[in-house]
Amino acid sequence: MDARAIIARLRRHEVPSAAELTWFAQGLADGTVSDAQAGAFAMGVCMGRLGPGGRAALTLAMRDTGDVLSWDFDGPVIDKHSTGGVGDCVSLVLAPALAECGAYVPMISGRGLGHTGGTLDKMEAIPGVTTQLGPDRLTQVVRDTGAAIVGATARIAPADKRLYAIRDVTATVESLDLITASILSKKLAASPDALVLDVKLGSGAFMKSPDEARALARALTETANAAGCRTSALITDMSQPLAPSLGNALEVGEVMRVLTSGRADDPLAQLSAELGGVLLSDAGLAPDAASGADLIRAIIADGRAADRFGRMIAAVGGPVQFVENWQRFLPESTVIREVPAHASGYVTAIDGEALGLAVVALGGGRQVESDTVDPSVGLSRVIRLGSSVSTGTPLATIHAARQEAAEAAEAALRAAITIEETPGKLPPLIHERITP
């Protein structure tokens, strides 16, 4: 086969065959395809459409360029993926709760890039935790504790790693077909029996409109189910941070408050239960999603999820007594200051992306992959939409390494929060469910 012929087909708005897409994906992984050809391929896909069949073929082709994990457990292997938001630390709540229900959860996650936080960075805010495990060690940890949150090895979907880097510099990141193949080639390499997708919608998400979020959710669910993995999706709200904290150690703190206090009405706990309920139902561990959600809530409320989380953390190198003493172990910033409101009224809008970028500027995220992350910085006690405020009411608390960084974050935070005389309409936590 010839890369030029495949690119020419895309230019004519034709869909390459499954064999051609498999050849091209392998060429991405082994270097047969040049950077120029990879860029032309990405642009060709971006300017046209692969359609459901082509999208599924590209996804499986990219998955099969590397290792595809296999398991021998006495229960279903299940997983969850979020398309990215701010204050989104659901994975740390959900993985141990699902494990307590009899599932096995080898959750291969990513790092933060852009305005969204990364699950691996949050895990590594806990002293001693390692998220890079070889296949044998990963299998042992999941067998012993039921769950592990780890990073992908270089042998997981190497074609995607190469293509993503090309997309990043060729303005082709937004392609629905390429987004779908990128997400699912890695997720399906972990061979889950069931998968739930948390597709974010709103100011703090990549998908800003309902139509964009719905199109992505449908593309992901159709492709994953075509690949043989039972998959559902929830379109969830990201018009404000999910948890009231942004930043790695601060978000771990929110996770621990939920797990150790049993706060079932907290948005973080609510969304964890709803996503978990869908997964338990799809995996055959609950009769329906509502029953599954009730089970997750009960496991969080009575402390079983916290105990399981502690076992998971210890198994990957964290403190044995982390759950009992988490406040002592998490790093703290040297500069902590409240940001008071300069007007009275109601909080009617929050620019989540701007808040996420403010945390990046504090050192809590990355502008390029090689950046070092400060786990202690970020924002806490971020005010919620609909809140009534008076002059002087705290809008958030800044955690910074330096005074000048805190001042810049304060300016960004004030610009990101809209206060008006009358309250606005509050969005639902869950907008829509997409089922097979």
Side-chain angles (χ1 to χ4, degrees), residues 75-262:
V77 174
I78 60 179
D79 201 357
K80 163 259 178 193
H81 177 79
S82 168
T83 59
V86 291
D88 178 11
C89 36
V90 164
S91 293
L92 276 66
V93 175
L94 186 54
L98 291 170
E100 193 64 27
C101 296
Y104 292 89
V105 192
M107 192 175 285
I108 297 177
S109 300
R111 300 191 180 280
L113 189 63
H115 73 277
T116 64
T119 299
L120 297 185
D121 299 319
K122 294 163 194 174
M123 286 286 291
E124 290 173 356
I126 302 172
V129 164
T130 179
T131 59
Q132 298 302 314
L133 304 181
D136 292 343
R137 179 62 181 149
L138 172 60
T139 299
Q140 189 60 51
V141 170
V142 176
R143 189 183 302 280
D144 291 345
T145 71
I149 299 175
V150 299
T153 69
R155 287 298 308 158
I156 296 291
D160 174 65
K161 185 173 184 179
R162 173 115 185 273
L163 186 57
Y164 188 88
I166 297 291
R167 289 166 57 207
D168 194 36
V169 297
T170 56
T172 54
V173 171
E174 289 79 10
S175 164
L176 186 67
D177 292 326
L178 296 179
I179 290 171
T180 300
S182 178
I183 290 172
L184 291 179
S185 62
K186 297 187 290 285
K187 280 295 173 183
L188 295 179
S191 302
D193 298 308
L195 174 66
V196 69
L197 299 158
D198 182 3
V199 179
K200 300 294 188 184
L201 165 63
S203 67
F206 289 109
M207 300 298 167
K208 308 296 186 187
S209 75
D211 287 346
E212 288 177 322
R214 191 175 299 113
L216 178 57
R218 286 177 175 163
L220 288 165
T221 53
E222 287 172 3
T223 303
N225 280 287
C229 177
R230 172 80 176 181
T231 304
S232 300
L234 296 182
I235 298 176
T236 70
D237 192 67
M238 189 44 68
S239 55
Q240 61 182 327
L242 177 61
S245 292
L246 288 73
N248 297 306
L250 294 169
E251 289 184 50
V252 173
E254 294 298 335
V255 168
M256 298 315 301
R257 290 184 186 95
V258 166
L259 291 178
T260 58
S261 70

